[in-house]
PDB file of all heavy atoms in Angstrom:
ATOM      1  N   ASP A 202     -15.213 -19.868   5.784  1.00 94.00           N
ATOM      2  CA  ASP A 202     -13.889 -20.361   6.175  1.00 94.00           C
ATOM      3  C   ASP A 202     -12.845 -19.556   5.388  1.00 94.00           C
ATOM      4  O   ASP A 202     -12.634 -19.784   4.199  1.00 94.00           O
ATOM      5  CB  ASP A 202     -13.808 -21.858   5.826  1.00 94.00           C
ATOM      6  CG  ASP A 202     -12.427 -22.423   6.100  1.00 94.00           C
ATOM      7  OD1 ASP A 202     -11.577 -21.688   6.648  1.00 94.00           O
ATOM      8  OD2 ASP A 202     -12.201 -23.600   5.757  1.00 94.00           O
ATOM      9  N   GLN A 262      -2.220  -4.431   9.996  1.00 88.00           N
ATOM     10  CA  GLN A 262      -1.727  -5.312  11.067  1.00 88.00           C
ATOM     11  C   GLN A 262      -2.603  -5.216  12.323  1.00 88.00           C
ATOM     12  O   GLN A 262      -2.811  -6.206  13.004  1.00 88.00           O
ATOM     13  CB  GLN A 262      -0.297  -4.928  11.443  1.00 88.00           C
ATOM     14  CG  GLN A 262       0.764  -5.454  10.497  1.00 88.00           C
ATOM     15  CD  GLN A 262       0.736  -6.968  10.419  1.00 88.00           C
ATOM     16  OE1 GLN A 262       0.022  -7.564   9.609  1.00 88.00           O
ATOM     17  NE2 GLN A 262       1.533  -7.628  11.248  1.00 88.00           N
ATOM     18  N   ARG A 277     -12.719   5.779 -12.737  1.00 98.00           N
ATOM     19  CA  ARG A 277     -12.727   4.840 -13.865  1.00 98.00           C
ATOM     20  C   ARG A 277     -14.148   4.366 -14.179  1.00 98.00           C
ATOM     21  O   ARG A 277     -14.499   4.179 -15.341  1.00 98.00           O
ATOM     22  CB  ARG A 277     -11.804   3.655 -13.568  1.00 98.00           C
ATOM     23  CG  ARG A 277     -11.572   2.789 -14.804  1.00 98.00           C
ATOM     24  CD  ARG A 277     -10.524   1.733 -14.585  1.00 98.00           C
ATOM     25  NE  ARG A 277     -10.925   0.764 -13.571  1.00 98.00           N
ATOM     26  CZ  ARG A 277     -10.208  -0.282 -13.215  1.00 98.00           C
ATOM     27  NH1 ARG A 277      -9.023  -0.485 -13.795  1.00 98.00           N
ATOM     28  NH2 ARG A 277     -10.610  -1.128 -12.299  1.00 98.00           N
ATOM     29  N   GLU A 292     -19.200  10.955  -7.443  1.00 98.00           N
ATOM     30  CA  GLU A 292     -18.000  10.379  -6.798  1.00 98.00           C
ATOM     31  C   GLU A 292     -18.140  10.383  -5.277  1.00 98.00           C
ATOM     32  O   GLU A 292     -17.736   9.425  -4.611  1.00 98.00           O
ATOM     33  CB  GLU A 292     -16.797  11.208  -7.236  1.00 98.00           C
ATOM     34  CG  GLU A 292     -15.480  10.558  -6.975  1.00 98.00           C
ATOM     35  CD  GLU A 292     -14.337  11.503  -7.307  1.00 98.00           C
ATOM     36  OE1 GLU A 292     -14.446  12.248  -8.285  1.00 98.00           O
ATOM     37  OE2 GLU A 292     -13.338  11.482  -6.564  1.00 98.00           O
ATOM     38  N   VAL A 303     -18.388  -1.232   3.639  1.00 98.00           N
ATOM     39  CA  VAL A 303     -17.253  -2.018   4.163  1.00 98.00           C
ATOM     40  C   VAL A 303     -17.106  -1.779   5.666  1.00 98.00           C
ATOM     41  O   VAL A 303     -16.702  -2.665   6.411  1.00 98.00           O
ATOM     42  CB  VAL A 303     -15.957  -1.700   3.378  1.00 98.00           C
ATOM     43  CG1 VAL A 303     -14.761  -2.422   3.972  1.00 98.00           C
ATOM     44  CG2 VAL A 303     -16.143  -2.096   1.917  1.00 98.00           C
ATOM     45  N   VAL A 426      11.682  -2.169 -18.283  1.00 98.00           N
ATOM     46  CA  VAL A 426      10.345  -2.738 -18.103  1.00 98.00           C
ATOM     47  C   VAL A 426       9.429  -2.024 -19.094  1.00 98.00           C
ATOM     48  O   VAL A 426       9.356  -0.794 -19.075  1.00 98.00           O
ATOM     49  CB  VAL A 426       9.804  -2.527 -16.678  1.00 98.00           C
ATOM     50  CG1 VAL A 426       8.543  -3.350 -16.472  1.00 98.00           C
ATOM     51  CG2 VAL A 426      10.829  -2.897 -15.627  1.00 98.00           C
ATOM     52  N   ARG A 442      -1.926  -1.260 -12.619  1.00 98.00           N
ATOM     53  CA  ARG A 442      -0.902  -0.920 -13.626  1.00 98.00           C
ATOM     54  C   ARG A 442      -0.242   0.415 -13.291  1.00 98.00           C
ATOM     55  O   ARG A 442       0.992   0.520 -13.279  1.00 98.00           O
ATOM     56  CB  ARG A 442      -1.577  -0.841 -15.004  1.00 98.00           C
ATOM     57  CG  ARG A 442      -0.669  -0.308 -16.120  1.00 98.00           C
ATOM     58  CD  ARG A 442      -1.493  -0.024 -17.384  1.00 98.00           C
ATOM     59  NE  ARG A 442      -0.629   0.458 -18.446  1.00 98.00           N
ATOM     60  CZ  ARG A 442      -0.241   1.727 -18.565  1.00 98.00           C
ATOM     61  NH1 ARG A 442      -0.632   2.630 -17.674  1.00 98.00           N
ATOM     62  NH2 ARG A 442       0.561   2.087 -19.566  1.00 98.00           N
ATOM     63  N   ASP A 529       3.095   4.661   3.550  1.00 97.00           N
ATOM     64  CA  ASP A 529       2.262   4.934   2.373  1.00 97.00           C
ATOM     65  C   ASP A 529       2.754   6.207   1.690  1.00 97.00           C
ATOM     66  O   ASP A 529       2.072   7.228   1.697  1.00 97.00           O
ATOM     67  CB  ASP A 529       0.805   5.047   2.847  1.00 97.00           C
ATOM     68  CG  ASP A 529      -0.146   5.415   1.718  1.00 97.00           C
ATOM     69  OD1 ASP A 529       0.173   5.105   0.553  1.00 97.00           O
ATOM     70  OD2 ASP A 529      -1.193   6.028   2.022  1.00 97.00           O
TER      71      ASP A 529
END
Side-chain angles (χ1 to χ4, degrees):
D202 176 5
Q262 280 301 89
R277 191 172 64 178
E292 195 186 323
V303 176
V426 190
R442 172 190 181 278
D529 176 26

